[in-house]
Amino acid sequence: MRRKRHHHIPPIEPGMIVESTDADLGEHDISQAHVADVHRDATGAVDEVVIEKGIVFKKDIVVPADRVAAITPQTAATPGEIIVQANEDEIDSLRAVGTEDLTAGSGTKDEQTGGLLGHLQDDLPTVEGLRRREGRRRHNLPPSTEAAAQEALAEGQPTGIRRLLQALGPGFLAGMAGNDASAVTSYSINGATNGYGQLWLMLLSTPMFQAVQYACGKVGRISQRGLAELLRERYGLAVAAPAAIILIVANIGLVAGDLVAIGSGLELITGIYWLWFVIPAALFLWYMTLFQNFNTIKKVFIGMSLAFIAYLIAGFMVHPAWGDVLRATFVPHLGLGFASISSAVALLGATVSPYTMFWQVQGEKEEQRQGPLPRQLKASMWDIANGVISGNLVAYFIIVVTSATLFMHHQQIATAADAARALEPLAGPFAKYLFAIGLIGAGLVAIPVLLASTAYAVSGTFGWTASLWKKPWQNEGFYLILSVALAVSVIVALLRFDPIQIMFWANVLQGLLSPVLVILVTLVANDRRIMGTYRVRWLTNLFLGLTAAVMLGALVFFFIGLANGQS
């Protein structure tokens, strides 16, 4: 039965704070939802309340008077508050921009009456109850409380290739995003300089990368908090703030380098100067990240990652000596000189990046996985394994391509674009275009992960909400950080600073932060207060320790190189 409209309610005034009964209006964001206007009918009674949320990303929601559940009047010290009846489905269905209405009485019957039905829907696996549980799970409630709902929702899910694609999530994107422009450049230079000699390190780095990302994913799934949030809570701002600052500076440098790489790849294909592609690429990525829902973002960027197949095709096109390739893959060999050892630690260090750690913790927190908690953890493990193996396979073939061509012909390069140009006379124009396509894909996949990890770090440090599931007006602080970081990166790219120098110093900062983060993730993943009975096991801890040792070794050799003028 529809409720009667409120004709005699306490006064509602512009400026009053607005919260919701069962939905997220961005209460913990940098701005709060408030009453912007009050519409009255011919008798002077309140007919509609206009809610405004956001400073830059503004959203107006028109709420009928019968959706107002409670009012706290204004006082001299407080602006007053109203509570509106709305559920997650309604708020999730709102667009990112524009003015929209909440229809009169369209909440669930429980929300309208406060009766027993709604409590039963929450406690029993009814359709409405499952929907509401699923909505709440995306907003930081422990996953264990959602097991029954997730199990029931799992029925009737698609199978086959479509199911496989749906299983790919933040772990796969993290693995592919690890091959950003600076990493592609590192792998290309390694192959051109060392030949096949260090391919075995890619095999060694795979379980190391898997251990780090799995520990991060498990922390996110169990704690339902982001990495910056955990660092702030467990170790204070003295740890969280410096980590966030280093990550911001490094990520901006890497995004600028990736924008230049995208432009350079398109220049190789089209012949148009790379500078003209920077702003269009940035705008496209900004629009996708801000105004598309996370599922759409995930599908688009997973599709973009198919560009990396170009490196695998190029690997077969250049006809490497496969016997030598396999021997170098499974038989370790490492020179004792500074150049050889520093090259090895740089290659391993390029695999594990701070931004992929921040992304993995938050991404696993947000990813909707089905079934009880053990099944969710298993799905996370396979998602991460897909990303780690795929990402390292791409890196492996980049080294194979540049070894079989540039190393064999004693060609020296400084960037991945140089590698693409050098391939043309050695392997034909098609190889050049394949390498360029891979470089473009590397930038397009890496930039959103870099930007999101930057915003996750800052938002978590300050205690703001951070989620790619939410609209810009719900999550304004997060999206403003993301937008500013992208804008600064565009400026750096357009000012034509040397991209090699930018990426070099960005990687130096990442090298300083990476081992510290691996150690902190290890501590958090073994903390009973956070993980309960789901702490990581001894094998994961073993590879976490090995990863931290390798990264610390990379720092030592870097500073030795600086001292000797060899870096």
Side-chain angles (χ1 to χ4, degrees), residues 174-191:
M176 301 309 287
N179 292 324
D180 71 310
S182 67
V184 172
T185 297
S186 296
Y187 299 137
S188 300
I189 293 174
N190 186 281

mmCIF file of all heavy atoms in Angstrom, residues 174-191:
data_model
loop_
_atom_site.group_PDB
_atom_site.id
_atom_site.type_symbol
_atom_site.label_atom_id
_atom_site.label_comp_id
_atom_site.label_asym_id
_atom_site.label_seq_id
_atom_site.Cartn_x
_atom_site.Cartn_y
_atom_site.Cartn_z
ATOM 1 N N ALA A 174 46.325 -6.043 -13.386
ATOM 2 C CA ALA A 174 47.584 -5.679 -12.726
ATOM 3 C C ALA A 174 48.768 -6.315 -13.432
ATOM 4 O O ALA A 174 49.805 -5.660 -13.656
ATOM 5 C CB ALA A 174 47.546 -6.104 -11.259
ATOM 6 N N GLY A 175 48.633 -7.595 -13.800
ATOM 7 C CA GLY A 175 49.724 -8.276 -14.489
ATOM 8 C C GLY A 175 50.045 -7.649 -15.827
ATOM 9 O O GLY A 175 51.220 -7.478 -16.187
ATOM 10 N N MET A 176 49.006 -7.273 -16.574
ATOM 11 C CA MET A 176 49.235 -6.662 -17.881
ATOM 12 C C MET A 176 49.706 -5.214 -17.736
ATOM 13 O O MET A 176 50.550 -4.742 -18.495
ATOM 14 C CB MET A 176 47.958 -6.716 -18.717
ATOM 15 C CG MET A 176 47.433 -8.121 -18.946
ATOM 16 S SD MET A 176 48.671 -9.284 -19.588
ATOM 17 C CE MET A 176 48.834 -8.718 -21.271
ATOM 18 N N ALA A 177 49.160 -4.493 -16.746
ATOM 19 C CA ALA A 177 49.553 -3.102 -16.546
ATOM 20 C C ALA A 177 50.997 -2.988 -16.080
ATOM 21 O O ALA A 177 51.626 -1.937 -16.241
ATOM 22 C CB ALA A 177 48.624 -2.425 -15.537
ATOM 23 N N GLY A 178 51.530 -4.073 -15.487
ATOM 24 C CA GLY A 178 52.934 -4.050 -15.090
ATOM 25 C C GLY A 178 53.870 -3.851 -16.270
ATOM 26 O O GLY A 178 55.011 -3.398 -16.098
ATOM 27 N N ASN A 179 53.402 -4.183 -17.467
ATOM 28 C CA ASN A 179 54.192 -3.965 -18.678
ATOM 29 C C ASN A 179 53.912 -2.578 -19.256
ATOM 30 O O ASN A 179 53.506 -2.431 -20.409
ATOM 31 C CB ASN A 179 53.887 -5.041 -19.720
ATOM 32 C CG ASN A 179 54.376 -6.400 -19.299
ATOM 33 O OD1 ASN A 179 55.424 -6.525 -18.676
ATOM 34 N ND2 ASN A 179 53.608 -7.436 -19.595
ATOM 35 N N ASP A 180 54.110 -1.544 -18.435
ATOM 36 C CA ASP A 180 53.916 -0.186 -18.929
ATOM 37 C C ASP A 180 55.101 0.201 -19.808
ATOM 38 O O ASP A 180 56.001 -0.613 -20.051
ATOM 39 C CB ASP A 180 53.750 0.788 -17.760
ATOM 40 C CG ASP A 180 55.041 1.004 -17.011
ATOM 41 O OD1 ASP A 180 55.687 0.000 -16.643
ATOM 42 O OD2 ASP A 180 55.440 2.165 -16.793
ATOM 43 N N ALA A 181 55.104 1.446 -20.293
ATOM 44 C CA ALA A 181 56.131 1.873 -21.250
ATOM 45 C C ALA A 181 57.533 1.743 -20.677
ATOM 46 O O ALA A 181 58.473 1.350 -21.388
ATOM 47 C CB ALA A 181 55.868 3.321 -21.681
ATOM 48 N N SER A 182 57.704 2.059 -19.398
ATOM 49 C CA SER A 182 59.048 1.966 -18.807
ATOM 50 C C SER A 182 59.491 0.508 -18.724
ATOM 51 O O SER A 182 60.669 0.193 -18.947
ATOM 52 C CB SER A 182 59.070 2.614 -17.420
ATOM 53 O OG SER A 182 58.289 1.887 -16.505
ATOM 54 N N ALA A 183 58.548 -0.406 -18.401
ATOM 55 C CA ALA A 183 58.900 -1.820 -18.330
ATOM 56 C C ALA A 183 59.216 -2.368 -19.719
ATOM 57 O O ALA A 183 60.185 -3.126 -19.891
ATOM 58 C CB ALA A 183 57.762 -2.611 -17.692
ATOM 59 N N VAL A 184 58.405 -2.002 -20.717
ATOM 60 C CA VAL A 184 58.672 -2.446 -22.085
ATOM 61 C C VAL A 184 60.045 -1.955 -22.538
ATOM 62 O O VAL A 184 60.815 -2.680 -23.187
ATOM 63 C CB VAL A 184 57.570 -1.950 -23.050
ATOM 64 C CG1 VAL A 184 57.941 -2.250 -24.497
ATOM 65 C CG2 VAL A 184 56.233 -2.602 -22.711
ATOM 66 N N THR A 185 60.372 -0.707 -22.174
ATOM 67 C CA THR A 185 61.696 -0.164 -22.503
ATOM 68 C C THR A 185 62.794 -0.965 -21.805
ATOM 69 O O THR A 185 63.813 -1.314 -22.421
ATOM 70 C CB THR A 185 61.782 1.319 -22.094
ATOM 71 O OG1 THR A 185 60.831 2.065 -22.850
ATOM 72 C CG2 THR A 185 63.178 1.876 -22.338
ATOM 73 N N SER A 186 62.599 -1.277 -20.520
ATOM 74 C CA SER A 186 63.596 -2.051 -19.764
ATOM 75 C C SER A 186 63.815 -3.423 -20.396
ATOM 76 O O SER A 186 64.963 -3.862 -20.569
ATOM 77 C CB SER A 186 63.149 -2.216 -18.314
ATOM 78 O OG SER A 186 63.086 -0.979 -17.653
ATOM 79 N N TYR A 187 62.725 -4.101 -20.743
ATOM 80 C CA TYR A 187 62.847 -5.420 -21.348
ATOM 81 C C TYR A 187 63.516 -5.334 -22.725
ATOM 82 O O TYR A 187 64.338 -6.190 -23.082
ATOM 83 C CB TYR A 187 61.475 -6.076 -21.481
ATOM 84 C CG TYR A 187 60.763 -6.287 -20.160
ATOM 85 C CD1 TYR A 187 59.403 -6.010 -20.026
ATOM 86 C CD2 TYR A 187 61.432 -6.765 -19.038
ATOM 87 C CE1 TYR A 187 58.734 -6.193 -18.818
ATOM 88 C CE2 TYR A 187 60.769 -6.948 -17.835
ATOM 89 C CZ TYR A 187 59.428 -6.654 -17.734
ATOM 90 O OH TYR A 187 58.776 -6.838 -16.540
ATOM 91 N N SER A 188 63.169 -4.301 -23.485
ATOM 92 C CA SER A 188 63.759 -4.142 -24.815
ATOM 93 C C SER A 188 65.261 -3.900 -24.722
ATOM 94 O O SER A 188 66.053 -4.506 -25.463
ATOM 95 C CB SER A 188 63.094 -2.966 -25.552
ATOM 96 O OG SER A 188 61.709 -3.166 -25.706
ATOM 97 N N ILE A 189 65.661 -3.031 -23.813
ATOM 98 C CA ILE A 189 67.088 -2.734 -23.645
ATOM 99 C C ILE A 189 67.830 -3.961 -23.127
ATOM 100 O O ILE A 189 68.958 -4.250 -23.547
ATOM 101 C CB ILE A 189 67.278 -1.536 -22.700
ATOM 102 C CG1 ILE A 189 66.742 -0.269 -23.370
ATOM 103 C CG2 ILE A 189 68.739 -1.355 -22.314
ATOM 104 C CD1 ILE A 189 66.732 0.955 -22.483
ATOM 105 N N ASN A 190 67.185 -4.720 -22.224
ATOM 106 C CA ASN A 190 67.826 -5.927 -21.705
ATOM 107 C C ASN A 190 68.089 -6.918 -22.827
ATOM 108 O O ASN A 190 69.175 -7.502 -22.912
ATOM 109 C CB ASN A 190 66.941 -6.559 -20.631
ATOM 110 C CG ASN A 190 67.620 -7.746 -19.954
ATOM 111 O OD1 ASN A 190 67.662 -8.849 -20.485
ATOM 112 N ND2 ASN A 190 68.139 -7.514 -18.759
ATOM 113 N N GLY A 191 67.088 -7.132 -23.693
ATOM 114 C CA GLY A 191 67.286 -8.059 -24.798
ATOM 115 C C GLY A 191 68.330 -7.576 -25.774
ATOM 116 O O GLY A 191 69.160 -8.353 -26.260
#
